[in-house]
Structure formats: C-alpha cells, structure tokens
C-alpha cells in the first residue's frame, strides 16, 4: 500500500531586531539562547547584548566586560557564564 501526503511548511513568527529595538549594532555573528530564555548576541565592537523578550541590555566595560571583540558566550551548569573576548592590545 502506498499513500502520498502533501507536506506544507509552517510559517513561524519572525522578529527583526534593529537599533530601533535597542540592538547596539547591525552586525551579529551569533545568537545564543540560555536556559532562562535570554538571547545573547556577541558583537565585535559594542559589547554583549542580551534580549529578555522585551528589550535589550548591553554589557560593556563598565559591567566588567574586557574591551574587545566578543566572540561567544557559554552558560555553565551552575548558571554562570563564560564569555570569550579577544581583548584590545594597548
């Protein structure tokens, strides 16, 4: 017996983030979701952006982040984060 089914793709909701929404740059190489539902977006020049579902919080040097290109963020099992940064040389 053979049955043919037509498969239709589901159109998922899409949101475009921009400076208008609070994103510090339009150049984002990666998006990382953590266990709390935050979306983290490392940037080359503007620190680390975290989206909580409502808006962005930007982490920079004043928050303890070294100056430089943020490459990635990793969440550890204990809930802490490791951030990889190529620090600017002085």
């Amino acid at each position: 017996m053979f049955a043919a089914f037509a498969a239709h793709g589901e159109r998922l909701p899409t949101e475009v983030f921009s400076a208008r929404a609070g994103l510090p740059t339009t150049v984002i190489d990666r998006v990382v979701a953590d266990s709390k539902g935050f979306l983290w977006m490392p940037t080359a020049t503007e620190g680390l952006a975290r989206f909580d579902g409502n808006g962005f919080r930007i982490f920079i040097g004043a928050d303890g982040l070294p100056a430089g290109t943020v490459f990635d963020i990793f969440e550890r099992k204990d809930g802490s984060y490791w951030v990889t940064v190529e620090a600017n040389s002085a």
Side-chain angles (χ1 to χ4, degrees):
M1 191 179 252
F2 178 76
F5 298 96
H8 298 284
E10 181 181 351
R11 187 174 292 277
L12 299 173
T14 304
E15 185 169 347
V16 176
F17 297 122
S18 67
R20 185 174 284 160
L23 191 61
T25 180
T26 57
V27 179
I28 300 293
D29 292 329
R30 115 182 239 97
V31 177
V32 177
D34 71 10
S35 66
K36 298 170 190 76
F38 294 133
L39 296 178
W40 295 87
M41 298 165 204
T43 73
T45 59
E46 303 297 328
L48 182 63
R50 183 189 73 193
F51 185 70
D52 64 7
N54 295 310
F56 286 94
R57 162 108 197 270
I58 311 305
F59 294 88
I60 57 173
D63 300 302
L65 192 66
T69 300
V70 180
F71 286 109
D72 212 342
I73 181 168
F74 303 93
E75 182 181 15
R76 296 181 52 182
K77 288 181 181 181
D78 67 3
S80 63
Y81 298 96
W82 285 2
V83 179
T84 59
V85 177
E86 179 184 21
N88 294 336
S89 57

